[in-house]
Each structure stands twice: as C-alpha cells, then as structure tokens.
Amino acid sequence: MITPPPDPSLMPVRDPRSLDLALDYAGMHALVADLVLPRGASMYVMSAMETCRELLRHSYYRYEFATVAVTHSLFALEHVLAERLATDGPLHDLIEQATDTGLVTAELAAELHRVRLLRDKLTRGAVSSAALRPLGAVALLRAVFDAVSLLLPPPSAAGTVAPVDGTQPEDGLATLWEDHRRALFPDGFRGVDIDGVDLVLLDSDVAGLVHTELNGGLDDDGVAFLRHRITDLDRVVPLVHEEYCAFYFTRLRTMAQVAAAPHIPTAT
C-alpha cells in the first residue's frame, strides 16, 4: 500500500519571529552545537539538559520554546547544586553557597541569578513565555551548562575503559559491572525496540551473561549468545539519539566486549 504524503497543513512551519536565527531548521544546529552534555551527569540531569537544548533548537518553530528551555534548565542546576553542596534550600541560597566556596565564579553566578529571576517573573505572571529572544536564551543556557559541568565531580577512572585489546586490568569487568548496576535504565525507553531489538531484553540478556562470566565463566553457548548480543548492540547504539540512552548502551556494549575478550581465539 502506498502511504499518502503528509498533509502540508499539519507540517511544522517556521515561526516568523525566528527569522534571524537560521536559514532553515538544519541551521539551528550551529546555535546549540556548543551546548555539550557532561558525561558524568545522572540520567535526570542529562535528560533535563538535553530537553533544554532541543527546546531551544525547536524555537525555530515556536519562539516561546527559547524561554521554556532556559527555565527548564533550572531543574538540572538545582539538582546538581544540592548534590554537590550536600544541602537543600532555595536556589538563590544554593547559588550563593557555590559562589562562596569557589565552585562557580561571581560572573557565572550572576548569569545563573538572571535565569532564576526569569523563572520567578514567569511564576508571578510578570512576563510571558516570550520573554527571551532565542539568541539571548543561548547565552543563559550556556551559563547553566557551564555551571553544571563545573559542579559535577570529575569522572572516575572507572568511567573510561581502554579498548578491548587483551590488556584490560583484571578488575575491569567487575568495575564496569558495578557501574552498570548503579546506572538507571533510560526513562522512556522501556518497551521500545529499535531495528527489531527490544532494549529492555537486550539490557537484561547482556547483564545476565556478564554476571555469569564474573561468577564462574561462560560456556560455549553463553559465549555465542553474548557475541550475538554484541552484534545487536553494534546495530542499535548508532540509532539511539537520546544522549543518556546512547551513553547507557555504549557502556553496556563496552562491558559485553570486555566479557567476551577472554573467549576470542588467539591468533597463531
């Protein structure tokens, strides 16, 4: 059956207030290209920050998304501040504590307070969701991204794994396993399959195989199944565009490869 073309009246159209942003939607990439998500962030923080970045990109179609993007970023900022300072409190106080302890500069703190004040004005109805021009939103959102990157603890050595070349440390797989056990499965991807691969089942299968490898070792059938699942991961990972999910399954693939490495025949 031939699929009818989409109704032009249902396609998104450029917001006339965004005419100075980019020649087309693809050009919006340059606007947000330097808003890079920190790899050491939790699923909650990465999800919130990626949503902010994509809202800003989509301000091409809806001008107000720029303001929403900036105010939404405060969820990530407040979460990271509270974790790093090990305290709760109003966002104003958290920013001040981070400044006083040297975690953020006074200049960066001033930008963060601008974002906070914008949210407060929206809450009181003093401004509307069109308060920020997208170009102005970029600068404020960049300040939040910079602050989150500064506030996150440095990535541990366990978070980086050398290529599977036979030189892995003995505890490499155990470390990856512990990291994986602590990681949360990506919200929104339960029940989702990509290219015919169910992500929950893929995660469960690889975890079970790795656990077996750590506790006595895989038999020939287990090794064959693990290699099959690595092939699935090789196919799926490039198709995942949500950053936390991509990071989660990239690390799962690394763990699977490390588990399989001892079972690769030695070249003669």
Side-chain angles (χ1 to χ4, degrees):
M1 184 177 67
I2 299 175
T3 303
D7 183 345
S9 65
L10 300 178
M11 298 294 288
V13 296
R14 184 181 199 169
D15 192 311
R17 296 169 292 178
S18 300
L19 291 175
D20 62 338
L21 293 178
L23 293 175
D24 53 24
Y25 177 71
M28 294 295 290
H29 175 73
L31 197 68
V32 301
D34 65 341
L35 298 177
V36 179
L37 290 155
R39 284 295 183 175
S42 66
M43 177 183 67
Y44 175 86
V45 172
M46 286 187 73
S47 177
M49 294 179 74
E50 186 172 10
T51 298
C52 298
R53 188 182 64 195
E54 294 310 305
L55 281 167
L56 186 53
R57 193 196 306 269
H58 281 75
S59 65
Y60 180 87
Y61 296 118
R62 182 67 183 184
Y63 187 86
E64 283 82 359
F65 285 173
T67 300
V68 178
V70 172
T71 53
H72 188 80
S73 70
L74 291 179
F75 291 115
L77 176 64
E78 190 163 359
H79 184 83
V80 172
L81 278 167
E83 279 198 338
R84 184 62 187 273
L85 297 169
T87 186
D88 290 322
L91 182 56
H92 176 275
D93 292 345
L94 293 175
I95 295 172
E96 289 302 309
Q97 286 184 52
T99 309
D100 293 342
T101 55
L103 293 173
V104 299
T105 65
E107 292 77 12
L108 183 55
E111 292 296 286
L112 300 179
H113 280 305
R114 285 183 61 199
V115 181
R116 178 187 59 81
L117 290 170
L118 173 63
R119 180 200 60 185
D120 294 346
K121 289 178 181 178
L122 280 165
T123 301
R124 298 194 304 269
V127 297
S128 75
S129 294
L132 280 179
R133 295 177 64 250
L135 290 177
V138 173
L140 292 181
L141 199 54
R142 185 179 295 116
V144 175
F145 270 66
D146 289 347
V148 169
S149 294
L150 288 171
L151 290 163
L152 287 171
S156 64
T160 57
V161 180
V164 181
D165 57 3
T167 61
Q168 289 293 331
E170 291 184 2
D171 66 344
L173 183 59
T175 300
L176 283 166
W177 172 246
E178 288 304 316
D179 287 346
H180 182 72
R181 289 182 60 196
R182 288 193 296 267
L184 296 175
F185 189 88
D187 281 346
F189 285 87
R190 297 187 186 280
V192 172
D193 71 79
I194 294 178
D195 199 20
V197 178
D198 183 287
L199 296 187
V200 170
L201 186 58
L202 177 61
D203 180 45
S204 176
D205 285 346
V206 172
L209 291 162
V210 169
H211 185 263
T212 299
E213 175 66 14
L214 286 168
N215 292 272
L218 292 165
D219 59 19
D220 290 345
D221 289 341
V223 172
F225 189 36
L226 179 59
R227 288 175 180 165
H228 170 70
R229 286 317 231 168
I230 290 173
T231 300
D232 287 336
L233 283 162
D234 289 342
R235 191 167 80 251
V236 164
V237 168
L239 301 177
V240 177
H241 301 298
E242 197 268 347
E243 291 208 30
Y244 177 81
C245 185
F247 179 70
Y248 183 93
F249 279 94
T250 297
R251 183 170 55 192
L252 183 70
R253 179 173 60 180
T254 299
M255 184 172 69
Q257 290 169 333
V258 172
H263 304 282
I264 298 174
T266 304
T268 57

